[in-house]
Amino acid sequence: SSGINAEYGEFQTYQHYFIQINLSSKMAATGELSPAAVKHPKKRHYRQRAHSNPLSDHSFEYPVSPDAMDWSIIYPEFKPDDRVRFCDVGCGYGGLLVTLSTLFPDKYMVGFEIRVKVSDYVNDRFKALRVENPTYNNAGVIRTNAMKYLPNFFRKGQLEKLFILYPDPHFKRCKHKWRIVSEGLLAEYAFVLAEGALVYTVSDVHEVHEWMVEHFTAFPLFERCDPGPEDAAAQVLIGSTEEGKKVLRNKGQSWTAIFRRIKDPAETGEK
């Protein structure tokens, strides 16, 4: 917006936005703001094209390092020793975050979304949800590009769960470099994931599913696993996301694969 320094304008606007969200949450907690007075956002007011070029020069503000990230502007109850533990890469309209927020109330989680209007919708969605129920204070969204800035937000071994659900298929061979799963990106995922952490992948395109399985399986720091029915997150992967619900409505099929971050042999002296 005009009058704000161009270099920091988006970030300052983002800070102001989350301050408003946190203020709404606090007003609701003290009874100053009634849940009945809050309106939930409508998707029709946030329409945007389904795909975005992640390699183009979008305008993003991001911390120079994880230590420089002030998470308290997103989470009203965030303390200095707290850490974000779950990340939904390409979170879309935030359906998975809404579900996980109540399933894991003691975990902070964030969605990364590259599209402006879609991330605006998720922000407004949580603004309304937090007024109705403070449980949702543990979830939020950041408009950013996970392909470029993931290590700017997370320390080594910080994340416990990473979600890659219904990623853009980028069918053309010349656009495969746009896919969110590649050898280079897997190295970054392995860096920010703790040993034993899980990566959840889902796609309704079998070729993309096979692509993700092939790349994760070939990477030395991941192994495919089945966490079983006791893993609450694995049970809600398809039914929670807007894309997954659309596949179910159309009687389509989704393919799921889960991978565990394993110990780095180089750190133990193993060969």
Side-chain angles (χ1 to χ4, degrees):
S1 60
S2 61
I4 299 180
N5 183 284
E7 182 177 2
Y8 300 103
E10 185 173 337
F11 185 65
Q12 289 179 352
T13 302
Y14 220 62
Q15 284 185 313
H16 176 75
Y17 191 93
F18 278 110
I19 288 171
Q20 295 302 311
I21 292 179
N22 292 345
L23 179 61
S24 296
S25 302
K26 293 175 182 177
M27 291 175 67
T30 59
E32 297 178 62
L33 182 62
S34 168
V38 177
K39 294 182 179 180
H40 286 264
K42 304 292 184 183
K43 289 183 190 174
R44 65 177 179 268
H45 298 144
Y46 302 81
R47 292 300 182 190
Q48 187 164 346
R49 61 186 299 177
H51 305 298
S52 177
N53 179 0
L55 302 184
S56 66
D57 292 327
H58 296 273
S59 177
F60 294 110
E61 285 294 335
Y62 53 89
V64 295
S65 72
D67 290 336
M69 179 61 192
D70 181 8
W71 291 101
S72 66
I73 66 174
I74 301 177
Y75 310 104
E77 300 172 356
F78 200 88
K79 298 178 180 60
D81 293 336
D82 289 333
R83 296 288 182 269
V84 174
R85 297 301 184 185
F86 297 178
C87 181
D88 184 5
V89 175
C91 67
Y93 290 95
L96 179 68
L97 291 171
V98 171
T99 300
L100 294 178
S101 180
T102 55
L103 284 176
F104 299 91
D106 60 336
K107 301 289 185 181
Y108 282 105
M109 56 195 71
V110 68
F112 282 177
E113 176 55 49
I114 196 171
R115 294 168 293 173
V116 179
K117 291 184 179 179
V118 178
S119 62
D120 286 346
Y121 170 86
V122 181
N123 278 324
D124 290 340
R125 186 177 188 179
F126 276 110
K127 181 178 180 180
L129 287 171
R130 288 177 178 184
V131 172
E132 296 177 343
N133 187 344
T135 299
Y136 296 105
N137 285 340
N138 65 337
V141 66
I142 294 176
R143 181 182 175 253
T144 191
N145 187 344
M147 292 181 68
K148 294 183 178 181
Y149 307 122
L150 198 70
N152 292 79
F153 289 92
F154 303 121
R155 297 174 174 84
K156 180 180 180 181
Q158 177 174 335
L159 294 180
E160 298 174 358
K161 294 184 185 294
L162 184 75
F163 301 89
I164 304 174
L165 308 187
Y166 300 98
D168 291 348
H170 299 303
F171 291 108
K172 294 181 179 179
R173 183 177 295 275
C174 65
K175 293 185 177 180
H176 283 182
K177 61 180 177 292
W178 293 7
R179 288 183 170 177
I180 196 64
V181 171
S182 65
E183 184 176 356
L185 288 172
L186 289 181
E188 293 196 358
Y189 297 154
F191 177 80
V192 300
L193 286 164
E195 182 182 325
L198 297 178
V199 180
Y200 303 78
T201 70
V202 181
S203 179
D204 59 333
V205 179
H206 192 253
E207 186 271 328
V208 174
H209 165 71
E210 289 184 325
W211 169 282
M212 293 192 289
V213 170
E214 177 185 350
H215 281 74
F216 271 104
T217 303
F219 201 84
L221 297 183
F222 291 103
E223 63 178 11
R224 192 169 182 177
C225 66
D226 179 8
E230 64 274 10
D231 185 345
Q235 310 308 312
V236 299
L237 295 178
I238 298 175
S240 297
T241 68
E242 284 72 14
E243 191 67 27
K245 292 176 182 177
K246 183 171 69 175
V247 173
L248 292 174
R249 286 196 304 270
N250 296 333
K251 295 181 170 49
Q253 185 172 356
S254 295
W255 290 270
T256 301
I258 302 174
F259 304 89
R260 180 179 289 110
R261 166 67 158 89
I262 60 176
K263 183 185 293 291
D264 186 349
E267 296 180 353
T268 61
E270 300 176 5
K271 296 184 179 179

